[in-house]
Amino acid sequence: MKKGKKLYEGKAKIIFASNDKKYVIQHFKDDATAFNNQKKAVMDGKGILNNRISEHILTQLNNVGIKNHLVKRLNMREQLVQHVEIIPIEFIVRNIATGSLTKRLGIEDGTVLDSPLIEYCLKDDDLGDPLVSTEHILAFKWMEIDELNLINKELNRINDFLQGMFRGVGIKLVDFKVEFGRYEKNGKKEIMLADEISPDTCRLWDVNSDKKLDKDRFRKGLGNLIEAYQEVARRLDILHEQSNIRPLKYTKPQAVKIKKKQ
Ligand code: 5GP
């Protein structure tokens, strides 16, 4: 697959054309930004880790029937993905209250929600990605009702799967943001999960210590962002190579020995 011209550059990724217009190349940068681009830094290796982690998660989702844009990882920083038109809404799913939800509504940080809470934000940096309602989405024709219903169902499936996957490696999935895109199939508009799922787009807390293993380490100036992302990759069994960075304390669940009946 040949890399063509740059089509779009975002805060953490660049999209390049390929020699087949059905596909584009998604390149993961090392740039970290927060608070609508007001805080910026370059984190060596972040793009490589997000490329691997997102590849792993989207592959797993595909295996359980949640279709998405990933075709294959091409190299350390790039993936071949299906070309979609990104819907201008950020879909947020929350299991535990934190971040903008607690600030906006005064909910106590760490409150476990009875059921997943879905929020929609308009993808518009100039406006600071404002929260919007279903009514706004329909009134301004950002989506059709059928598309929204389908996405809401997918969000719950994605959340169920990701919660289980992370819980299995000692991580709480606190919340996450995903994006969807439209593409044409047999003359009909279809929708699929796009963009990335990584510690840049999820809040991930260690089950025992609540230690943050995600981009909040950068947002809150906690340091050790790369070590935290490596820890996520290691627990998901993606990173096998030994690193000289001391892993955060995590004990693998031990097999339970069953006593034989006498
Ligand atoms: P919050 O609304 O609390 O800031 O974010 C909720 C969740 O969505 C967090 O997991 C956060 O990482 C993710 N999120 C929301 N907006 C963005 C965004 O513009 N970029 C990225 N990378 N993640 C976002």
Side-chain angles (χ1 to χ4, degrees), residues 35 92-113 117 119 121 131 174-176 201-205 212 214-217 219-220:
F35 313 119
I92 294 173
V93 182
R94 301 180 186 271
N95 298 306
I96 300 176
T98 191
S100 70
L101 174 68
T102 53
K103 284 196 197 90
R104 201 186 321 124
L105 301 178
I107 310 290
E108 194 181 337
D109 199 277
T111 306
V112 177
L113 304 172
L117 177 66
E119 289 179 340
C121 292
L131 188 74
V174 174
D175 57 29
F176 62 94
T201 61
C202 301
R203 283 202 178 92
L204 305 169
W205 294 355
K212 292 173 175 37
D214 56 66
K215 200 173 140 186
D216 269 358
R217 300 208 70 84
R219 294 189 188 101
K220 293 173 179 277

Side-chain angles (χ1 to χ4, degrees), residues 14-245:
I14 308 173
I15 303 294
F16 293 95
S18 76
N19 51 349
D20 182 335
K21 67 176 181 0
K22 264 177 69 186
Y23 305 106
V24 290
I25 293 167
Q26 177 167 258
H27 175 106
F28 288 76
K29 300 196 282 184
D30 281 344
D31 300 31
T33 64
F35 313 119
N36 206 9
N37 238 353
Q38 286 174 42
K39 185 172 178 176
K40 289 185 203 176
V42 175
M43 299 283 170
D44 255 353
K46 180 174 80 75
I48 295 172
L49 284 157
N50 281 349
N51 185 19
R52 295 290 296 273
I53 295 170
S54 192
E55 174 205 15
H56 176 81
I57 294 176
L58 294 192
T59 303
Q60 301 288 313
L61 286 173
N62 189 48
N63 289 345
V64 294
I66 297 169
K67 64 178 176 185
N68 59 71
H69 74 160
L70 179 72
V71 179
K72 62 174 179 179
R73 185 166 61 82
L74 295 171
N75 54 50
M76 295 283 268
R77 287 191 183 270
E78 291 173 331
Q79 300 178 345
L80 186 67
V81 298
Q82 194 164 325
H83 196 180
V84 296
E85 168 216 339
I86 293 286
I87 293 171
I89 299 290
E90 294 188 341
F91 300 88
I92 294 173
V93 182
R94 301 180 186 271
N95 298 306
I96 300 176
T98 191
S100 70
L101 174 68
T102 53
K103 284 196 197 90
R104 201 186 321 124
L105 301 178
I107 310 290
E108 194 181 337
D109 199 277
T111 306
V112 177
L113 304 172
D114 287 346
S115 57
L117 177 66
I118 295 177
E119 289 179 340
Y120 314 110
C121 292
L122 181 65
K123 251 175 86 71
D124 187 323
D125 283 344
D126 294 339
L127 299 175
D129 298 343
L131 188 74
V132 293
S133 66
T134 300
E135 285 72 18
H136 289 111
I137 292 174
L138 299 178
F140 300 113
K141 300 190 172 42
W142 292 318
M143 268 188 281
E144 303 284 336
I145 185 73
D146 291 352
E147 294 178 325
L148 192 54
N149 289 339
L150 190 136
I151 288 178
N152 285 339
K153 271 197 203 140
E154 288 290 87
L155 290 174
N156 281 308
R157 291 178 69 205
I158 295 167
N159 187 44
D160 280 350
F161 181 82
L162 293 185
Q163 266 193 311
M165 186 190 79
F166 280 120
R167 190 48 80 118
V169 295
I171 293 174
K172 285 189 231 178
L173 177 65
V174 174
D175 57 29
F176 62 94
K177 182 267 299 184
V178 282
E179 298 183 18
F180 286 81
R182 294 189 185 95
Y183 65 104
E184 222 170 87
K185 193 178 168 188
N186 305 328
K188 258 184 68 191
K189 284 259 185 228
E190 300 260 346
I191 275 186
M192 63 160 60
L193 178 65
D195 193 50
E196 68 173 297
I197 301 183
S198 72
D200 262 14
T201 61
C202 301
R203 283 202 178 92
L204 305 169
W205 294 355
D206 177 84
V207 272
N208 297 317
S209 63
D210 276 353
K211 186 155 196 158
K212 292 173 175 37
L213 299 170
D214 56 66
K215 200 173 140 186
D216 269 358
R217 300 208 70 84
F218 172 68
R219 294 189 188 101
K220 293 173 179 277
L222 300 172
N224 296 339
L225 175 123
I226 293 299
E227 289 84 342
Y229 284 32
Q230 282 177 332
E231 179 63 23
V232 173
R234 215 175 276 124
R235 289 194 197 187
L236 291 174
D237 223 6
I238 301 166
L239 264 197
H240 303 292
E241 62 268 32
Q242 282 299 311
S243 128
N244 56 2
I245 296 157

